[in-house]
Amino acid sequence: MLDHSLLSCLGQSFGLHHQPHREDFGLLQGNLLVRVPMQVRLRAQHLHLMVQGNESQISEFLLLGLSKEPELQPILFGLFLFMYLIIVLGNLLIILAISSDSHLHTPMYFFLSNLSWVDICFTSTTIPKMLVNIQTQSKVITYAGCITQMYFFLLFAGLDVLLLTVMAYDRFVAICHPLHYTVIMNPQFCGLLVLMSWIICILNSLLESLMVLQLSFCPDVEIPHFFCELKQVVQLACSDTFLNDMVMYFGVGLLGGVPLAGILYSYSKILLSIHGMSSVQGKYKAFSTCASHLLVVSLFYCTSAGVYFSSAPTHSSFSSATASVMYTVVTPMLNPFIYSLRNKDIKGALKRFFGMAAMKRLIILGLKKFP
């Protein structure tokens, strides 16, 4: 039923003072039958439908990307395509090297192979869509596509953080408790750590995505980013976002602050243990096993913290999007280089892998020539 005061005001504002017509309808208010003209009723219904439409869920968002300049789009396309190919190929090589070499079937490389796989999935949630938008000159992403992208982005970002934390704990046990390393970091425990990381991140990303589904958005929603980043999407909502903000910052604290505290604790113990070593060669060897991981952690945390804890969340949206490139694209791209160039085991495994592949190819070609 339409509101009586709305109908009355509409009647007065439009000056619709005429005798009741047979098409006019009556509203029973107390013991009085109020006659409302048909024009007023139709106008009120139209306004009611407009309000309902504005509060309903929209069908799509617009991703504004990193730049609005048309001449920069081909450069961005080529640059991000190049980086994406490096990420996929580099991390796949690490996975192949670890899986093909039995000498690398240790906890440290088990976690590294999982991190490489997560990095591929992490970048695959954002870069392909960005490349498609640039190529088709379209900024549109559907509402369902945006929520899906947000879910998987949160999932793999959280996994990145937790796996880096688990790797820090692995180095802590290896350096501070070397005699108990094989007992503590047994295959069952390592598998349990990875499984728990998946469960925590799935639940967190599911909760965050369901909270966004409860929001109402106004039409013509533009996201000043190259993907559906949670904070940017929540800021564009027309409805109250207090609960979403609380859940978002709780998730950042749980999957950002707690792991960071664990990493800092692990490395404080590692540094104390290295400081207590008498041999210079032993100190160098112990620190070299942690240097790559420490560099990756520093890159990831410094860039992501700069984005999420910025003091001005709206006035520098494009600069935040540019900063996000560091932890969403650059860090996963550098991981294969950081973990392989200074790692003799990985380089040796890759040489053996490609050597065996070349040998098999020669054998196959020889068999084809001389059946």
Side-chain angles (χ1 to χ4, degrees):
M1 184 66 68
L2 297 172
D3 188 77
H4 303 322
S5 60
L6 174 63
L7 294 171
S8 177
C9 292
L10 285 169
Q12 294 175 7
S13 62
F14 286 100
L16 297 173
H17 302 292
H18 65 284
Q19 295 299 322
H21 190 268
R22 63 186 181 88
E23 290 183 349
D24 296 348
F25 68 97
L27 293 177
L28 188 61
Q29 185 173 9
N31 295 324
L32 296 176
L33 185 64
V34 181
R35 292 287 180 179
V36 182
M38 178 63 69
Q39 289 177 276
V40 178
R41 183 181 68 172
L42 294 176
R43 178 63 178 169
Q45 288 176 338
H46 177 65
L47 290 175
H48 182 63
L49 290 174
M50 286 177 64
V51 171
Q52 281 186 326
N54 287 336
E55 292 180 350
S56 63
Q57 291 289 0
I58 62 171
S59 60
E60 60 188 29
F61 289 94
L62 294 178
L63 296 173
L64 300 185
L66 295 174
S67 175
K68 295 181 178 179
E69 301 297 330
E71 60 271 13
L72 290 179
Q73 301 308 310
I75 299 174
L76 290 174
F77 181 84
L79 180 62
F80 276 83
L81 178 61
F82 176 72
M83 290 192 292
Y84 182 63
L85 292 176
I86 290 179
I87 291 169
V88 174
L89 294 176
N91 284 287
L92 278 179
L93 284 176
I94 288 182
I95 295 172
L96 288 173
I98 294 173
S99 60
S100 63
D101 196 327
S102 59
H103 296 93
L104 300 183
H105 293 176
T106 61
M108 181 177 71
Y109 292 111
F110 170 70
F111 296 134
L112 179 57
S113 62
N114 276 272
L115 181 67
S116 296
W117 173 248
V118 168
D119 279 342
I120 293 174
C121 297
F122 181 47
T123 52
S124 296
T125 61
T126 57
I127 299 181
K129 177 59 180 174
M130 178 189 182
L131 296 176
V132 169
N133 283 1
I134 293 175
Q135 186 67 22
T136 59
Q137 298 182 356
S138 171
K139 299 180 183 295
V140 174
I141 183 171
T142 63
Y143 178 80
C146 186
I147 298 298
T148 304
Q149 186 185 64
M150 187 187 307
Y151 171 82
F152 284 107
F153 178 83
L154 292 171
L155 170 63
F156 293 118
L159 279 171
D160 245 339
V161 174
L162 293 184
L163 285 175
L164 289 173
T165 308
V166 169
M167 293 172 73
Y169 176 73
D170 173 74
R171 292 299 84 206
F172 160 72
V173 176
I175 294 173
C176 299
H177 305 283
L179 298 179
H180 302 91
Y181 179 73
T182 54
V183 177
I184 297 174
M185 302 302 293
N186 58 76
Q188 291 78 16
F189 183 64
C190 293
L192 182 62
L193 288 175
V194 174
L195 178 62
M196 289 302 297
S197 299
W198 273 93
I199 292 173
I200 292 171
C201 293
I202 287 173
L203 292 177
N204 174 71
S205 56
L206 184 62
L207 175 62
E208 298 277 13
S209 301
L210 290 176
M211 291 294 295
V212 174
L213 286 174
Q214 306 304 314
L215 297 175
S216 297
F217 296 92
C218 299
D220 302 325
V221 177
E222 296 182 344
I223 302 175
H225 220 299
F226 65 95
F227 67 95
C228 288
E229 197 264 337
L230 175 63
K231 191 175 181 181
Q232 297 285 347
V233 173
V234 170
Q235 287 174 354
L236 295 175
C238 293
S239 54
D240 182 42
T241 62
F242 175 77
L243 190 57
N244 293 78
D245 292 334
M246 292 299 100
V247 172
M248 180 172 60
Y249 287 114
F250 175 77
V252 170
L254 179 65
L255 294 179
V258 175
L260 179 60
I263 292 172
L264 292 176
Y265 175 80
S266 297
Y267 275 104
S268 65
K269 291 294 185 179
I270 288 172
L271 290 175
L272 288 174
S273 180
I274 292 175
H275 181 71
M277 294 179 180
S278 56
S279 171
V280 177
Q281 187 177 0
K283 290 181 179 181
Y284 175 78
K285 185 178 180 181
F287 184 77
S288 63
T289 60
C290 307
S292 300
H293 177 261
L294 192 58
L295 179 58
V296 172
V297 169
S298 301
L299 279 172
F300 187 87
Y301 267 97
C302 290
T303 53
S304 57
V307 172
Y308 277 93
F309 294 103
S310 57
S311 57
T314 55
H315 103 266
S316 58
S317 298
F318 279 102
S319 61
S320 296
T322 305
S324 299
V325 174
M326 287 298 297
Y327 78 92
T328 57
V329 182
V330 176
T331 300
M333 182 184 69
L334 293 178
N335 283 356
F337 298 101
I338 294 172
Y339 282 112
S340 62
L341 291 179
R342 292 175 54 85
N343 193 309
K344 295 179 180 179
D345 295 331
I346 293 288
K347 288 192 289 186
L350 286 173
K351 288 179 181 179
R352 287 189 291 271
F353 175 78
F354 286 114
M356 290 178 61
M359 188 178 296
K360 288 180 181 178
R361 187 177 297 176
L362 289 173
I363 292 173
I364 292 172
L365 288 173
L367 290 175
K368 287 182 178 179
K369 287 183 179 180
F370 305 101

